[in-house]
Amino acid sequence: MFLDLSSNRFSGTIPQEIGRLTNLETLSLHSNNLEGHVPVSLGNLSKLGYLRVDNNNLSGSIPPELGNLYNLVTVNMSVNFLTGHIPSSLGNLTKLSELYLFLNNLTGLIPPSLGNLSSLRILYLYMNKLSGRIPDELGNMKSLNLLLFGHNKLTGSIPASLGNLTKLKILDVHENLLSGVIPTELGKLESLIQLAFSHNELSGQIPASIGNLSRLEQLFFNDNQFNGSIPKELGNLNSLVEMLLLLNRLSGPIPDSLGNLTKLEQFALHDNKLSGYFPEGILNCKKLRYLTLGNNSLVGPVPKSICNLRSLETLYLGSNQFSGGIPQCLVNFSHNLTVLDLRKLEVLDLGNNKLTGGFPHWIDTLPEMQVLVLRGNKLNGTLHTSNTETPFPKLRILDLSSNEFTGLLPSKYFTNFKAMMSVDGAASGEFYMDGKSMYYDTVELGVKGLRLHLERISVVYNTIDLSVNTFEGEIPDTIGQLRSLRFLNLSRNSLTGRIPTNLTNLVRLEHLDLSSNKMVGKIPGQLASLTFLVVVNFSQNQLQGAIPKGGQFNTFDGSSFQGNDGLCGFPLTKNCGDDGVSSSLMPGEDEDEDEDEDDTFFNGFSWESVAMGYGFGMLIGLGIGWFVFYLGKPRWVIRITEKQPIQT
């Protein structure tokens, strides 16, 4: 006999009288609006084999009496508001095959008695508040296929006994407080498809035995304290699609053996202590879409074989010690994108290296480019556009700061930055770059000593930073078309002429830095109408006249205007005459004020991939047909979209 009232709009409580249906074999009440406690009377349903009350608003504790239902095969109480401990009596359910308790508020320890469940195939306890150690006894569950404990508060080490679970396909303990080393015994889990230890406090070396997991497709060790070298044995993981080792303390060279991973699509190694040359072996992985090696100590040139990565979408090599020019092969192929298919490339970060040569004009032919970071190199020459009619139509962040570029500002670029022109992007529902992808980009902005960290690049944080170069000439009027621009930094150049009045069209502008140039004339009074303006810096120019009054200009201090002898009015101490021109210097006033210690409020930014802290919805279609791996509260640039497993 069965009772199925699922997927309706029933509300109220589950009646105690349901315990009188002693012949009931199936009870399905899931996907309603039920609330209150799970009735203790369910413990009377001795013939019950299938119990689903998931996806409701149930509260209170799990009745220990359920441990009397020896015929139970499936128990699903997930996605509720259950509290209290997991009853140890559930260890009596020796026929139990599936136990789903995820997405509740359960606390306390994982009962060691669960190790008695020799028939259990699926154990989902993630997204609770469980604490304590993972019991050694769980290594007795020899039938287990899926073990998910992510997003709890578990401590202690990973039990070596888990190496006995030879049928295990997914082991997920991410986002806990686990410590210690990875047991070498886990190398015996040759059925594993996914191994997720990210966002814990694990340490020591990555065991070479992990290289035995020939079926492994996803390896997530990011955001721990692993040290030592990357085992060359990882090159044996021929089925691997995603490997995240970022945010650890790994050192030494990147093994050439990783070039054997021909199915690899996502490879994140940024934020470690890796050294040696660019790992040319990894460029044999022709399916790579995300490659992040930034913030290490890699040296030497970026090899021309990088052109073989025709599916590449994100390349993050910033904050290393690469030298030489940007690979010439990219330039050679720039007019034949059907040969070098970089048309998917959205993010290119080569910042903070030692690259030389001119601006790689071929980049503006890439239609999907959204983030371009070349800051902190030794690139030089002028910024000239290629023959393309609409360069950079989707660009949102351009950082060419701290190089040796010269000549005029690229007026044609400003004319074609279509993504920076509309102020209605967020209104359409598009809030973040790359919303469909696993990879959520981050950016870090420097604002007068304050680090502003954006874990996902919002489409509203459109940025242009061309500071610390030797650009000359006037600021082109075309920049006034970029109505959704938030950050504009042209400081420390040799710009001349007047400040364009059409900057008032930049209605979303928050930060404006034109300091340390040779600009003349007045500060346009219309800029006072920019209601989002937080910080400005006009210091160290040749500006004259009265500082605009009203609006945000009433909040700026004198450091934003110093070093302009002809400026007057609040917040400076120089008074303006009736004609709005500064009167003579006040007695004792130093005509040559020292430059502000930080004369640029916006010191550029360094983009960090991530994360790629976490960024994937993991739908594993490997015959089990229903598992979605997710990571929750992000700690870095790699994110996992949080979704519920789909039961069939």
Side-chain angles (χ1 to χ4, degrees):
M1 298 181 63
F2 66 92
L3 176 62
D4 187 350
L5 302 176
S6 61
S7 301
N8 285 288
R9 298 180 181 178
F10 291 120
S11 58
T13 61
I14 301 174
Q16 288 284 347
E17 289 78 5
I18 204 167
R20 298 178 181 177
L21 307 178
T22 53
N23 290 323
L24 205 59
E25 297 176 355
T26 295
L27 176 60
S28 185
L29 304 176
H30 69 87
S31 304
N32 283 292
N33 296 313
L34 299 171
E35 55 189 19
H37 292 192
V38 178
V40 173
S41 62
L42 291 184
N44 299 328
L45 306 179
S46 57
K47 296 182 180 179
L48 197 65
Y50 186 88
L51 173 62
R52 285 195 63 181
V53 294
D54 53 293
N55 199 19
N56 280 288
N57 299 311
L58 299 172
S59 58
S61 58
I62 299 173
E65 288 79 3
L66 294 184
N68 299 327
L69 306 181
Y70 300 112
N71 290 308
L72 273 176
V73 175
T74 296
V75 173
N76 193 339
M77 308 181 77
S78 60
V79 197
N80 279 291
F81 298 97
L82 299 174
T83 57
H85 295 188
I86 299 173
S88 60
S89 60
L90 296 186
N92 299 330
L93 306 177
T94 54
K95 295 182 181 179
L96 197 64
S97 177
E98 302 176 5
L99 177 59
Y100 306 94
L101 300 178
F102 65 92
L103 269 170
N104 280 290
N105 293 314
L106 298 172
T107 57
L109 307 178
I110 298 174
S113 60
L114 295 185
N116 299 330
L117 304 180
S118 57
S119 299
L120 196 67
R121 296 186 304 105
I122 299 171
L123 178 58
Y124 280 7
L125 302 181
Y126 63 86
M127 289 293 287
N128 280 288
K129 299 177 181 179
L130 300 171
S131 58
R133 303 175 66 89
I134 299 175
D136 290 336
E137 289 81 355
L138 299 191
N140 298 327
M141 298 187 294
K142 301 294 180 64
S143 300
L144 204 61
N145 293 148
L146 306 173
L147 176 60
L148 280 77
F149 289 166
H151 276 277
N152 280 289
K153 300 179 180 179
L154 301 174
T155 56
S157 58
I158 298 171
S161 62
L162 296 186
N164 299 328
L165 307 180
T166 55
K167 295 183 180 180
L168 202 61
K169 295 182 178 179
I170 295 176
L171 174 57
D172 169 16
V173 294
H174 79 274
E175 197 83 24
N176 278 286
L177 302 171
L178 298 170
S179 58
V181 301
I182 297 178
T184 58
E185 288 82 354
L186 297 190
K188 297 186 293 185
L189 304 180
E190 296 184 0
S191 296
L192 269 184
I193 296 169
Q194 183 186 92
L195 182 58
F197 290 162
S198 55
H199 308 292
N200 279 287
E201 299 174 4
L202 298 169
S203 58
Q205 297 191 357
I206 298 174
S209 62
I210 297 297
N212 298 332
L213 308 180
S214 58
R215 298 183 183 179
L216 198 66
E217 297 187 1
Q218 295 163 322
L219 176 63
F220 304 136
F221 283 179
N222 51 293
D223 200 356
N224 280 284
Q225 300 174 24
F226 294 124
N227 54 39
S229 59
I230 299 173
K232 66 180 187 301
E233 288 81 2
L234 296 188
N236 298 329
L237 303 178
N238 296 323
S239 300
L240 206 61
V241 176
E242 298 165 339
M243 177 160 58
L244 306 185
L245 304 179
L246 65 144
L247 271 169
N248 281 290
R249 300 173 183 176
L250 299 171
S251 58
I254 300 171
D256 286 337
S257 62
L258 299 186
N260 299 329
L261 307 180
T262 56
K263 296 182 180 180
L264 197 63
E265 297 181 10
Q266 297 162 3
F267 185 40
L269 276 176
H270 62 270
D271 289 276
N272 278 287
K273 298 180 180 181
L274 297 167
S275 58
Y277 290 95
F278 189 101
E280 291 200 54
I282 198 66
L283 299 179
N284 295 326
C285 305
K286 303 296 177 57
K287 294 185 178 181
L288 269 180
R289 295 188 296 122
Y290 303 95
L291 176 60
T292 67
L293 306 178
N295 203 14
N296 281 289
S297 298
L298 301 174
V299 299
V302 178
K304 65 179 182 179
S305 51
I306 198 169
C307 296
N308 296 330
L309 302 182
R310 300 183 180 182
S311 298
L312 200 62
E313 297 178 17
T314 294
L315 176 62
Y316 173 37
L317 305 179
S319 299
N320 279 287
Q321 299 179 40
F322 291 124
S323 57
I326 295 175
Q328 185 66 28
C329 62
L330 298 178
V331 180
N332 293 340
F333 285 127
S334 62
H335 299 297
N336 189 4
L337 291 178
T338 58
V339 177
L340 174 63
D341 190 3
L342 289 180
R343 288 171 293 184
K344 298 179 181 179
L345 193 66
E346 298 177 356
V347 178
L348 178 61
D349 185 345
L350 298 172
N352 295 318
N353 283 290
K354 299 177 181 179
L355 299 174
T356 57
F359 179 74
H361 63 84
W362 51 268
I363 291 178
D364 64 31
T365 65
L366 304 180
E368 300 299 320
M369 181 64 66
Q370 298 187 48
V371 176
L372 175 59
V373 179
L374 299 176
R375 75 182 304 265
N377 283 288
K378 297 181 180 180
L379 300 172
N380 53 43
T382 59
L383 294 187
H384 62 282
T385 61
S386 64
N387 295 326
T388 182
E389 291 297 322
T390 56
F392 294 125
K394 295 187 178 182
L395 199 69
R396 299 190 184 279
I397 290 179
L398 174 65
D399 184 359
L400 306 181
S401 62
S402 301
N403 278 288
E404 300 171 4
F405 292 121
T406 187
L408 301 178
L409 293 175
S411 177
K412 183 179 179 181
Y413 282 163
F414 300 152
T415 303
N416 289 282
F417 287 167
K418 305 298 183 184
M420 300 190 193
M421 292 182 181
S422 173
V423 294
D424 300 323
S428 67
E430 179 188 13
F431 291 99
Y432 298 101
M433 285 179 48
D434 202 15
K436 302 182 294 295
S437 164
M438 55 70 68
Y439 192 89
Y440 287 83
D441 309 312
T442 66
V443 70
E444 189 170 286
L445 304 175
V447 182
K448 215 167 189 179
L450 175 66
R451 305 307 293 177
L452 174 61
H453 183 75
L454 308 176
E455 293 199 4
R456 296 168 65 182
I457 299 177
S458 167
V459 298
V460 299
Y461 276 94
N462 297 327
T463 299
I464 294 177
D465 186 353
L466 303 179
S467 62
V468 197
N469 283 285
T470 55
F471 290 114
E472 56 193 28
E474 298 184 359
I475 299 175
D477 286 339
T478 53
I479 204 168
Q481 301 176 27
L482 309 180
R483 300 177 66 233
S484 64
L485 196 64
R486 291 287 179 119
F487 297 87
L488 176 61
N489 188 2
L490 303 177
S491 66
R492 298 194 185 190
N493 282 288
S494 298
L495 299 175
T496 56
R498 297 176 179 271
I499 299 172
T501 56
N502 68 356
L503 290 185
T504 190
N505 296 333
L506 308 182
V507 294
R508 293 292 186 264
L509 196 65
E510 297 180 10
H511 304 273
L512 173 63
D513 191 349
L514 303 179
S515 64
S516 298
N517 280 289
K518 301 176 182 179
M519 307 197 72
V520 299
K522 294 184 177 182
I523 299 174
Q526 297 93 325
L527 295 181
S529 66
L530 297 178
T531 56
F532 286 92
L533 210 54
V534 177
V535 183
V536 297
N537 197 342
F538 299 109
S539 65
Q540 308 304 324
N541 277 286
Q542 300 169 20
L543 301 172
Q544 303 176 13
I547 295 172
K549 298 179 181 179
Q552 295 297 97
F553 272 78
N554 291 343
T555 67
F556 304 141
D557 60 33
S559 65
S560 298
F561 307 98
Q562 68 177 13
N564 293 278
D565 294 341
L567 286 180
C568 58
F570 179 83
L572 298 179
T573 57
K574 299 176 185 178
N575 295 322
C576 296
D578 294 338
D579 57 357
V581 179
S582 63
S583 59
S584 59
L585 291 175
M586 299 295 290
E589 186 172 8
D590 186 359
E591 185 172 0
D592 296 319
E593 283 188 88
D594 291 335
E595 183 177 346
D596 185 90
E597 183 179 8
D598 178 8
D599 65 355
T600 60
F601 75 86
F602 182 8
N603 297 317
F605 60 86
S606 59
W607 174 84
E608 302 165 305
S609 96
V610 109
M612 36 20 276
Y614 347 32
F616 339 74
M618 306 277 174
L619 181 59
I620 311 277
L622 297 169
I624 56 177
W626 53 265
F627 172 72
V628 177
F629 176 75
Y630 67 92
L631 291 175
K633 299 179 181 178
R635 294 187 186 176
W636 196 246
V637 302
I638 303 294
R639 292 176 179 262
I640 306 295
T641 302
E642 296 185 7
K643 294 184 179 180
Q644 301 170 14
I646 302 170
Q647 183 179 355
T648 58

